[in-house]
Amino acid sequence: MNKKIPTYLEWDGARLVLHPSKSEVRIHRSLSSIRNWEETYRYLDRSIQDSELEREIKEIVKDSESRYFVILVRPEGFESFSNLQAYFSSHLNLDLGYEPLLKEWKTIQVREHND
């Protein structure tokens, strides 16, 4: 059985934070306010352009048989989470998992996989 390696992203509705590097991309518009999927995808493509997150996405696309994203969703991010989920799974065609986070969790520690 081939086990996939997760890459963690934290989502609070306004920021995508890549873990463990803590590199972040700010999302200045509410994703749930965008009129349609195509516009949402274009907006997110532009927002992550030239970022560490874009580079990581490209690496995972190349190695999608063994890697995937897990989105750690803060309570304030749930309203627009379905838009973000569609971006990764439908637009980028990547496997995706998610985990809800409690509001009181201030920090996240993710260990890198060294297989």
Side-chain angles (χ1 to χ4, degrees):
M1 181 175 171
N2 192 6
K3 192 171 180 182
K4 287 191 169 194
I5 299 169
T7 295
Y8 293 93
L9 277 173
E10 181 180 349
W11 172 243
D12 67 3
R15 296 174 312 130
L16 279 166
V17 181
L18 187 61
H19 289 281
S21 73
K22 304 257 192 258
S23 170
E24 75 176 51
V25 172
R26 293 216 174 256
I27 305 299
H28 298 284
R29 287 177 70 184
S30 167
L31 296 183
S32 55
S33 72
I34 300 175
R35 292 184 307 229
N36 58 55
W37 293 117
E38 292 78 20
E39 190 177 332
T40 300
Y41 300 159
R42 279 193 305 273
Y43 175 72
L44 286 169
D45 282 341
R46 286 191 309 270
S47 295
I48 67 168
Q49 189 172 11
D50 299 324
S51 69
E52 184 179 339
L53 176 55
E54 181 185 48
R55 290 184 289 282
E56 188 69 20
I57 287 170
K58 287 178 180 177
E59 289 299 314
I60 290 176
V61 165
K62 282 193 272 185
D63 195 15
S64 63
E65 292 298 315
S66 64
R67 295 182 65 197
Y68 71 109
F69 278 108
V70 173
I71 300 180
L72 307 170
V73 187
R74 294 215 172 263
E76 58 273 21
F78 270 101
E79 180 182 332
S80 58
F81 175 64
S82 63
N83 301 70
L84 190 67
Q85 183 180 29
Y87 176 75
F88 281 93
S89 60
S90 297
H91 180 61
L92 298 176
N93 199 29
L94 293 172
D95 286 343
L96 185 69
Y98 75 95
E99 186 71 36
L101 298 180
L102 297 174
K103 187 176 187 171
E104 44 283 341
W105 292 356
K106 302 295 181 202
T107 61
I108 297 172
Q109 293 186 355
V110 175
R111 285 182 251 145
E112 292 192 54
H113 291 272
N114 296 321
D115 296 322

